[in-house]
Amino acid sequence: MSLSARRVTLPAITPLVLQKRVIKVFNEDGSSQAVEVPSDIMAHDVCQLFILKNHCVNDNTWTLIEHLPHIGVERIVEDHESVIQLQSTWGMDTDSRLYFRKNYAKYEFFKNPSFFPEHMVSSSSETNGSLSHSQLIQNFLNTSMCPEIHGYLHAREQGRKTWKKCYFVLRRSGLYFSTKGTSKEPRHLQFVAEFGESNVYVLLSGRKMYGAPTNFGFCIKLHKSGGTRDLKLLCAEDEQSRKCWVTVIRLFKYGIQLYQNYKIPQQRRGSLTSLNSSPMRSISENSLVAMDFSGHKGRVIENPTEALTVAAEEGLAWRRRSCHRLNAYGSPTTSQSTTPCQAIHRMQLWFHHRLSRDEAQKLIEQQGLVDGMFLLRDSQSNLKSFVLSLCHCQKIRHFQIVPLGEDGELYYSLDEGHTKFTDLIQLVEFYQLNKGVLPCKLKHHCARITL
């Protein structure tokens, strides 16, 4: 009996982390894009990929949103979360989606000293008066500290359609409600949920789907729970309270990881800025001066204030001239011949053509409801006018921008002609620097892109 050996070549086995997966990301206008990514890709990396693909400004506000329409909820996907692992928790028969969207409120709690209402926050280390904002953040991030959030919430009773108002306490160990008024004694606190195997979501249509008493609903959902039966449905009295509850749950769940997600992109941008700001200018660039050629002879403008004024006037004149540029045949282009000078605002990211009032409110709400968020849109009631939609103190206000004719020139104003501007770009630039008649300055514009 003879034995013969032969060499067998086995197919190469690709490590799990190097395997490619396809994910599909949606935008608010319904457009979507499928991309092939590594199986261990994180949410931050997906955002960076779409920022580069769509030439967006990387200002640390772009985020992925997990959207679950079958139960009417959505949440911010944290930058360090695994996207593939997240998708593995979705049911096969659901229309769950990932959205690529700006969200200015994502890390607002690290920057805004008045983010947490004082009457809702208490800390075991608090001895001399109220804590400063930085101390409060440190307490939330420090696992050895025991801060807590407390206040009244409406809760939907398990297995019923009725809602009950109770006093709730949020601690590192979980969420509790008091069975006796506002008592925090252990014997009176009933456990509701913990956050190790669950996430906090915002209700999108709480009144319609769940009969919520207010529009400020949120819920706690187990990772592998697909239906509504296991949802812990809660409802706050206002948007600020809801943001506080949702944010502290995120802080208790992820701790210092949230702070690292917030700081690392800033440190990267800071290092790039320091590299870009190194002294690389040539001798000729350093010798540049402001000049005035309006007279018979040119003169050097030595007054800095006058130089800034001349620069602003020249920029405005350039915008006017750019509307009358000629094509290769020496005549105005078709788009420019039919578009007046004032229509250059349509090229701006903050302007949204044919956007209704309700759509404007929804867009601002989706992108964070922080002070100074704004957009400009066409007026629905007056075809020649425009509307500035602005967020202040968790509320959205709408200001009419009226066109005014004076000496054959067209101007725009939102304060009945007291302050007039030649175009909407000039108006926006002014209110970004000056509050004027508005409740706050314009800070963050709402932008939409097509994937």
Side-chain angles (χ1 to χ4, degrees):
M1 184 175 183
S2 62
L3 296 176
S4 61
R6 67 179 174 163
R7 183 179 297 171
V8 178
T9 304
L10 297 175
I13 300 176
T14 305
L16 185 62
V17 294
L18 298 180
Q19 293 179 6
K20 297 287 187 177
R21 303 290 181 89
V22 175
I23 63 171
K24 194 174 185 180
V25 178
F26 290 81
N27 197 13
E28 301 307 326
D29 61 0
S31 63
S32 63
Q33 189 171 359
V35 292
E36 190 179 48
V37 298
S39 60
D40 62 341
I41 194 168
M42 295 185 297
H44 174 266
D45 300 323
V46 175
C47 288
Q48 293 300 307
L49 178 63
F50 280 93
I51 286 171
L52 293 174
K53 279 180 171 289
N54 296 280
H55 309 288
C56 302
V57 177
N58 188 6
D59 56 0
N60 205 26
T61 60
W62 291 100
T63 188
L64 285 185
I65 301 293
E66 182 188 8
H67 181 76
L68 308 179
H70 60 288
I71 55 176
V73 301
E74 69 178 24
R75 73 174 179 97
I76 292 172
V77 181
E78 305 299 348
D79 289 339
H80 65 277
E81 287 190 68
S82 167
V83 176
I84 303 301
Q85 187 176 345
L86 167 64
Q87 289 186 326
S88 68
T89 64
W90 296 348
M92 297 296 292
D93 56 344
T94 63
D95 188 25
S96 304
R97 293 183 174 185
L98 287 174
Y99 278 92
F100 178 61
R101 182 193 300 165
K102 265 185 176 290
N103 191 301
Y104 291 101
K106 185 177 181 180
Y107 298 122
E108 179 70 9
F109 55 93
F110 285 127
K111 301 174 285 186
N112 185 358
S114 59
F115 186 90
F116 301 103
E118 290 187 8
H119 67 279
M120 292 181 61
V121 184
S122 62
S123 176
S124 59
S125 64
E126 186 176 344
T127 54
N128 299 320
S130 60
L131 294 173
S132 67
H133 177 256
S134 60
Q135 290 174 323
L136 184 60
I137 291 294
Q138 289 175 8
N139 282 0
F140 282 130
L141 298 177
N142 189 348
T143 55
S144 64
M145 306 300 290
C146 302
E148 66 179 31
I149 299 294
H150 48 80
Y152 282 97
L153 289 172
H154 300 273
R156 183 170 175 174
E157 297 185 78
Q158 203 71 18
R160 299 183 181 180
K161 294 184 178 181
T162 57
W163 291 74
K164 185 178 180 180
K165 191 173 183 179
C166 300
Y167 189 78
F168 280 79
V169 179
L170 177 59
R171 294 172 176 170
R172 291 194 189 278
S173 56
L175 181 66
Y176 306 82
F177 75 90
S178 178
T179 58
K180 185 178 180 181
T182 60
S183 173
K184 297 182 184 179
E185 293 185 26
R187 60 195 177 111
H188 295 145
L189 291 182
Q190 184 79 31
F191 177 78
V192 177
E194 57 88 30
F195 318 117
E197 298 297 326
S198 58
N199 283 312
V200 59
Y201 292 77
V202 171
L203 298 186
L204 299 177
S205 52
R207 286 184 183 272
K208 183 178 180 180
M209 291 190 68
Y210 303 106
T214 75
N215 293 321
F216 312 106
F218 63 100
C219 72
I220 299 170
K221 173 186 170 297
L222 291 172
H223 291 167
K224 296 185 179 180
S225 173
T228 61
R229 186 178 62 179
D230 298 324
L231 295 181
K232 307 294 184 182
L233 297 167
L234 304 161
C235 207
E237 294 291 347
D238 52 56
E239 180 62 24
Q240 186 182 23
S241 299
R242 176 170 71 172
K243 276 188 176 182
C244 182
W245 287 100
V246 171
T247 300
V248 175
I249 290 175
R250 290 172 59 203
L251 282 167
F252 282 162
K253 179 176 176 64
Y254 298 110
I256 196 65
Q257 181 67 59
L258 274 191
Y259 186 71
Q260 292 173 351
N261 293 348
Y262 166 64
K263 292 298 291 184
I264 290 175
Q266 288 188 329
Q267 293 168 355
R268 288 174 181 168
R269 287 202 305 273
S271 61
L272 289 174
T273 302
S274 62
L275 289 174
N276 294 334
S277 60
S278 57
M280 298 289 288
R281 300 179 66 184
S282 65
I283 297 175
S284 60
E285 287 177 319
N286 284 322
S287 61
L288 292 176
V289 293
M291 297 289 294
D292 178 16
F293 296 100
S294 59
H296 294 289
K297 295 182 179 180
R299 69 180 181 91
V300 176
I301 302 176
E302 298 180 352
N303 188 334
T305 304
E306 183 185 1
L308 290 173
T309 303
V310 171
E313 292 175 352
E314 178 62 24
L316 180 58
W318 179 87
R319 287 207 297 265
R320 286 174 172 171
R321 290 196 302 270
S322 65
C323 297
H324 303 288
R325 291 176 180 168
L326 305 180
N327 60 16
Y329 299 96
S331 60
T333 61
T334 304
S335 61
Q336 290 168 346
S337 61
T338 58
T339 305
C341 177
Q342 286 74 16
I344 58 175
H345 56 260
R346 292 192 179 182
M347 302 171 62
Q348 306 301 312
L349 294 175
W350 41 254
F351 186 79
H352 299 263
H353 187 47
R354 295 178 180 174
L355 192 73
S356 68
R357 182 188 180 101
D358 291 340
E359 290 171 334
Q361 295 218 165
K362 181 181 178 182
L363 182 59
I364 295 177
E365 288 172 358
Q366 286 178 339
Q367 298 194 9
L369 277 180
V370 300
D371 285 358
M373 281 187 63
F374 75 97
L375 60 84
L376 267 72
R377 56 187 175 87
D378 299 304
S379 173
Q380 293 179 299
S381 57
N382 188 341
L383 296 180
K384 295 183 180 181
S385 298
F386 301 94
V387 176
L388 168 67
S389 299
L390 174 66
C391 177
H392 179 64
C393 292
Q394 315 291 330
K395 295 182 179 179
I396 303 170
R397 298 177 61 181
H398 306 274
F399 300 87
Q400 193 86 7
I401 301 174
V402 181
L404 302 171
E406 185 177 307
D407 299 330
E409 296 287 341
L410 183 63
Y411 298 94
Y412 294 95
S413 176
L414 53 73
D415 58 3
E416 299 179 347
H418 294 291
T419 313
K420 293 175 285 190
F421 306 94
T422 56
D423 56 48
L424 297 184
I425 296 178
Q426 193 182 53
L427 182 145
V428 169
E429 289 174 349
F430 175 83
Y431 286 108
Q432 284 176 328
L433 300 174
N434 308 276
K435 184 173 74 170
V437 295
L438 300 177
C440 64
K441 297 178 185 178
L442 307 183
K443 296 180 182 178
H444 313 292
H445 67 269
C446 289
R448 292 196 297 185
I449 62 170
T450 300
L451 296 179

